[in-house]
Amino acid sequence: MKKQSLIKGTFILGIAGILAKFLGLFFRWPLIMLIGDEGVGYYQMSYPLYMFFIAIASGVPVAISKMVSEEKAIGNNEGIIQVFKKSMLLMIIIGGGFSAFLFIFSKQLIQFFKWDVKSYYSLIGIASAPIFISIMSAFRGFFQGLQNMSPTAVSQIIEQIGRVFFGIGLAYILLPKGIEYAAGGAAFGATAGGIFGGIYLFFRYMSIKRELNINKVKDNLFILTKLIYISIPISLGATVGSIMSLIDSALVPQKLLEAGYSYKQATILYGQLTGKAFVLVNVPLTISIALCASIVPIIAEFYILNRKGELVEKVNLAIKFSMVIALPSFLGLFFLSAPVMRLLFPGHSQGYEILKYLSISIPFIIITQTTTAILQGVGRYLRPVLNLVIGCIVKIIITVTLVPIPDLNIYGAVVGSIMGYLISSILNIRCLKQTLKISLNYYEIMIKPMYASVIMIIGVIYIYITAFDYTWSNALACLIAVFSGILIYSILIVLMRIFSYSYFKHKFLKYKRRDNR
């Protein structure tokens, strides 16, 4: 199987992720049209628990990716299959256990988190997803370890298609019974997506297994031990990150009640924060997640082979690329929050100001994600976890303090998210510099992308205002401005020599020649 370079792998996963997010809009938009902000609030109350499971299990795919990459680097095909089989067993145990937990203790969880009792149906709807998502995640880690992101990319699209069709279909069918039932049907879409994505990956795996020509492998308990050793701190780090969302689901509605809002008003505001603002902020994070998935096996390979020069080069490239993603995304959502909300949720654009200020967190989230992936690739598993814990504590303190203030309300949670990730990103960068003994060129990796982003957003605002004056159509003006911004930014990246066409061409050909040998 051919390996893919960092840029190529990130590009493949990033495009697939964006397509998946775009398909997700076909889930969010009709869902909001069907059940409104109140129904989305019920749906979102259970969703952080599902994401908490994803975080718990997320360390295993990363560990698979790292270990498969290391076995591939030394030419041990049998070891590759051994790693995969043990990881699949581990994921089935984790996923099956969590699904059973959600089914058995659903009512107790609702009482513990003090959610509205109508969120019960969403929790039951999503309870069967973990087992299928676990199986799919093991396959994805296997392919990412081989530095081939295409199977993961295709499975993401298939998963999202299944989620949209089944989730919206069930929501529509169950709507006559009540908004809460429709929200439960929508939640079941995650299970359908996991099933279809897993089926596709199984057939791709069988093809690769035949290519590796490995039929039977010896049992190796050391591999399972190493998987657990690597995955636990990674999972803890991801769990701490998802706890930030869980904190919002537990604290924000209650603190809004203290601020004087009714249950319905609190649910609506929470739905706007998590069901709209967070969803749109997560779109640029898709590319960042793709970058992280691509960088771990590459960093692990260079680190185990002791190729320090290439390792440092990839670290600088990854951080620069993360800034090229983060800065224009932040400025675009900050200044075009209202037009984007009106474009995506016509008639339901409330909450655009939440999106505007939440977008400030994008650069800090992406820096945290990227530096965490790099540190994991070189074997520093616990330090990023501790940094996230510190950020999480900061978020809790700020959320508890600010949300009950009537004039701040939901924006207190936004400030908490920004500050939590700001602290984590600063601590991660400091740890990275100490670990690899490198100094980062901040002008090249941060300041130049910021210059390009500022010039781009000035042009975008001017184009939007001009297009709207001519067309009187928000949708058309917004689309023209966004695509113009992409073009302007791409040109600026080349003109300012942030990246060059020859660089991408050289890297692609370099990996292509290496693959053909």
Side-chain angles (χ1 to χ4, degrees), residues 10 12 26 29 34 36 62 106 126 160 165 180 186-187 218 311 313 332 371 381 398 408 414 432 440 442 449 472 492:
T10 302
I12 290 171
F26 285 98
W29 182 80
L34 282 171
V62 177
S106 54
I126 211 165
Q160 195 71 327
F165 277 98
E180 62 272 28
K218 297 177 183 178
L311 176 63
E313 177 194 349
T371 51
Y381 307 116
I398 293 175
L408 290 176
V414 173
L432 182 64
L440 300 176
Y442 291 105
W472 287 94
L492 288 171

Side-chain angles (χ1 to χ4, degrees), residues 49-231:
L49 265 181
Y50 167 70
M51 295 308 297
F52 181 68
F53 156 73
I54 296 296
I56 289 175
S58 65
V60 182
V62 177
I64 300 168
S65 172
K66 186 177 188 300
M67 291 176 64
V68 167
S69 178
E70 290 171 349
E71 298 294 338
K72 183 70 174 176
I74 61 177
N76 185 8
N77 288 346
E78 182 179 356
I80 292 173
I81 301 300
Q82 285 176 328
V83 169
F84 172 73
K85 288 193 171 183
K86 291 299 181 185
S87 63
M88 180 60 76
L89 173 63
L90 185 59
M91 289 300 280
I92 289 174
I93 293 172
I94 294 172
F98 201 81
S99 285
F101 175 78
L102 291 180
F103 275 117
I104 295 169
F105 297 104
S106 54
K107 292 184 178 179
Q108 289 86 344
L109 287 168
I110 290 171
Q111 292 175 355
F112 177 78
F113 288 112
K114 298 181 181 180
W115 293 339
D116 193 306
V117 293
K118 291 182 179 180
S119 64
Y120 169 78
Y121 304 98
S122 296
L123 187 54
I124 290 298
I126 211 165
S128 55
I131 179 64
F132 298 105
I133 299 299
S134 295
I135 294 171
M136 187 169 57
S137 297
F139 282 119
R140 286 175 174 173
F142 170 77
F143 286 109
Q144 287 163 201
L146 295 176
Q147 296 180 35
N148 186 338
M149 307 300 161
S150 300
T152 297
V154 174
S155 72
Q156 286 178 344
I157 296 173
I158 293 173
E159 177 191 2
Q160 195 71 327
I161 290 173
R163 181 168 174 255
V164 170
F165 277 98
F166 277 83
I168 296 301
L170 286 173
Y172 179 77
I173 292 170
L174 294 173
L175 184 59
K177 297 188 69 175
I179 290 176
E180 62 272 28
Y181 288 93
F188 186 77
T191 300
I195 293 172
F196 288 113
I199 291 172
Y200 163 77
L201 288 170
F202 171 76
F203 286 107
R204 286 301 305 269
Y205 165 75
M206 294 304 295
S207 174
I208 296 303
K209 188 179 178 183
R210 287 192 296 270
E211 184 180 319
L212 294 174
N213 195 27
I214 301 294
N215 295 318
K216 293 183 179 181
V217 295
K218 297 177 183 178
D219 190 39
N220 190 340
L221 290 177
F222 172 74
I223 288 177
L224 184 59
T225 304
K226 187 176 179 181
L227 269 170
I228 295 172
Y229 173 78
I230 295 175
S231 62

Side-chain angles (χ1 to χ4, degrees), residues 1-5 8-9 12 72 142-151 204 208 211-212 301 508-509 511-517:
M1 174 180 284
K2 291 183 177 181
K3 293 192 299 183
Q4 294 164 345
S5 67
K8 187 176 180 181
I12 290 171
K72 183 70 174 176
F142 170 77
F143 286 109
Q144 287 163 201
L146 295 176
Q147 296 180 35
N148 186 338
M149 307 300 161
S150 300
R204 286 301 305 269
I208 296 303
E211 184 180 319
L212 294 174
E301 178 184 346
F508 177 79
L509 291 176
Y511 272 83
K512 188 174 181 180
R513 288 194 299 269
R514 185 179 297 171
D515 292 337
N516 290 335
R517 284 201 293 266

Side-chain angles (χ1 to χ4, degrees), residues 39 47 50 70 100 138 226 231 240 243 245 251 260 279 286 296 320 338 368 383 448 509 514:
Y47 199 71
Y50 167 70
E70 290 171 349
K226 187 176 179 181
S231 62
V240 172
I243 284 175
S245 297
L251 290 181
V279 169
T286 301
V296 170
K320 181 193 287 188
T368 300
R383 185 61 182 271
K448 285 176 70 173
L509 291 176
R514 185 179 297 171

Side-chain angles (χ1 to χ4, degrees), residues 181-458:
Y181 288 93
F188 186 77
T191 300
I195 293 172
F196 288 113
I199 291 172
Y200 163 77
L201 288 170
F202 171 76
F203 286 107
R204 286 301 305 269
Y205 165 75
M206 294 304 295
S207 174
I208 296 303
K209 188 179 178 183
R210 287 192 296 270
E211 184 180 319
L212 294 174
N213 195 27
I214 301 294
N215 295 318
K216 293 183 179 181
V217 295
K218 297 177 183 178
D219 190 39
N220 190 340
L221 290 177
F222 172 74
I223 288 177
L224 184 59
T225 304
K226 187 176 179 181
L227 269 170
I228 295 172
Y229 173 78
I230 295 175
S231 62
I232 285 178
I234 296 174
S235 293
L236 285 173
T239 301
V240 172
S242 72
I243 284 175
M244 289 192 178
S245 297
L246 204 56
I247 288 168
D248 284 338
S249 71
L251 290 181
V252 173
Q254 293 303 309
K255 294 302 174 181
L256 286 172
L257 294 176
E258 293 181 17
Y261 291 88
S262 67
Y263 272 101
K264 183 174 181 178
Q265 290 172 326
T267 301
I268 288 173
L269 280 174
Y270 179 73
Q272 291 173 355
L273 173 67
T274 59
K276 291 179 179 177
F278 270 126
V279 169
L280 292 176
V281 164
N282 280 336
V283 172
L285 300 187
T286 301
I287 304 178
S288 171
I289 292 169
L291 173 63
C292 294
S294 299
I295 192 99
V296 170
I298 292 174
I299 292 290
E301 178 184 346
F302 289 150
Y303 190 69
I304 197 172
L305 296 176
N306 199 28
R307 287 153 61 174
K308 182 70 179 292
E310 290 174 288
L311 176 63
V312 173
E313 177 194 349
K314 288 298 180 290
V315 168
N316 280 287
L317 176 62
I319 296 176
K320 181 193 287 188
F321 194 43
S322 70
M323 288 295 94
V324 167
I325 298 165
L327 295 174
S329 301
F330 148 54
L331 292 176
L333 287 177
F334 186 88
F335 287 101
L336 293 181
S337 57
V340 168
M341 278 288 217
R342 289 196 294 268
L343 170 67
L344 298 177
F345 307 113
H348 294 265
S349 61
Q350 298 89 344
Y352 69 87
E353 290 182 335
I354 298 175
L355 171 63
K356 177 178 182 177
Y357 295 108
L358 187 64
S359 67
I360 298 172
S361 67
I362 291 175
F364 308 123
I365 297 174
I366 289 181
I367 291 173
T368 300
Q369 289 176 336
T370 305
T371 51
T372 296
I374 295 169
L375 289 168
Q376 289 167 352
V378 299
R380 292 297 302 270
Y381 307 116
L382 287 175
R383 185 61 182 271
V385 177
L386 296 176
N387 294 340
L388 275 171
V389 167
I390 294 170
C392 191
I393 292 171
V394 170
K395 176 179 172 57
I396 293 173
I397 294 171
I398 293 175
T399 299
V400 171
T401 304
L402 298 185
V403 174
I405 300 174
D407 290 339
L408 290 176
N409 54 77
I410 198 74
Y411 297 97
V414 173
V415 174
S417 295
I418 294 170
M419 294 306 298
Y421 281 110
L422 170 62
I423 297 298
S424 298
S425 63
I426 292 172
L427 293 175
N428 268 13
I429 289 176
R430 182 181 176 185
C431 177
L432 182 64
K433 292 168 66 175
Q434 291 174 344
T435 300
L436 297 180
K437 302 295 188 295
I438 61 173
S439 59
L440 300 176
N441 188 338
Y442 291 105
Y443 179 76
E444 287 292 331
I445 67 177
M446 293 185 181
I447 304 302
K448 285 176 70 173
M450 175 58 80
Y451 286 156
S453 299
V454 170
I455 296 171
M456 177 273 296
I457 198 61
I458 292 172

